[in-house]
Amino acid sequence: MYNETFLRRAIEISAKALETPGTEPFGAVIVKDGKIVGEGINRSVMNHDPTSHGETEAIRDACRNLETVDLRGCELYSSCEPCALCVAAMNIAGIAALYYAADMAQAGGAIADLPEAARFPVDVDRLTHECGHAVTERIMPSEQHLDVEATKILHDWASLARSRV
């Protein structure tokens, strides 16, 4: 259930980008049972990691703090509507609900007049297209090779996992 305190904390984290070089103004918190269990700010430039978004950093922090990769039952509060990469990470982790402040259009409007060198290098429309289509329908060229060998390892791993349960 929405709690304004947690969204305000995500916005507060995003504001740290105003004074912290290498960060961008996207903050997030993960909440479980009414308590913040993870926080993150976009550190893509600082970490030389294009996946270091506020939401993914909060997910990583929560997973470390809870010593699990299963965040079912957790909520994510973000200062901005998450991109497709972050939505995918949220779904993989099992996040139950999302609450956000600025939407994509508002974020785009805020940076629209920035010089090209200062803009985020992400084409949000392309990212959304690529994530929403089968590999054969994407813009990025893709080819499949060595599937038999890779699939054998997947089956072997699954057999081992079944035997451990």
Side-chain angles (χ1 to χ4, degrees), residues 124-165:
V124 175
D125 291 335
R126 179 176 172 156
L127 177 62
T128 301
H129 175 274
E130 294 291 88
C131 292
H133 287 83
V135 71
T136 56
E137 298 171 5
R138 295 181 190 152
I139 297 166
M140 179 186 290
S142 301
E143 297 180 4
Q144 182 179 22
H145 301 279
L146 302 175
D147 58 308
V148 173
E149 290 91 336
T151 303
K152 181 183 181 323
I153 292 169
L154 292 169
H155 284 286
D156 291 348
W157 177 85
S159 292
L160 287 171
R162 278 191 288 279
S163 70
R164 292 183 189 128
V165 177

Side-chain angles (χ1 to χ4, degrees), residues 27-107:
V29 298
I30 306 288
V31 176
K32 181 172 185 166
D33 300 326
K35 179 182 170 208
I36 293 176
V37 294
E39 296 186 339
I41 188 169
N42 184 308
R43 291 185 173 94
S44 293
V45 174
M46 178 187 294
N47 293 344
H48 307 287
D49 177 357
T51 68
S52 184
H53 294 189
E55 296 88 352
T56 58
E57 288 297 312
I59 289 168
R60 291 170 182 152
D61 190 42
C63 288
R64 280 189 299 269
N65 290 335
L66 298 173
E67 298 181 339
T68 185
V69 295
D70 183 356
L71 298 180
R72 282 181 285 190
C74 293
E75 301 169 331
L76 190 145
Y77 289 78
S78 180
S79 64
C80 187
E81 177 184 354
C83 71
L85 172 124
C86 294
V87 170
M90 292 164 56
N91 278 276
I92 291 167
I95 298 294
L98 164 68
Y99 304 101
Y100 64 96
D103 65 25
M104 289 286 188
Q106 292 167 318

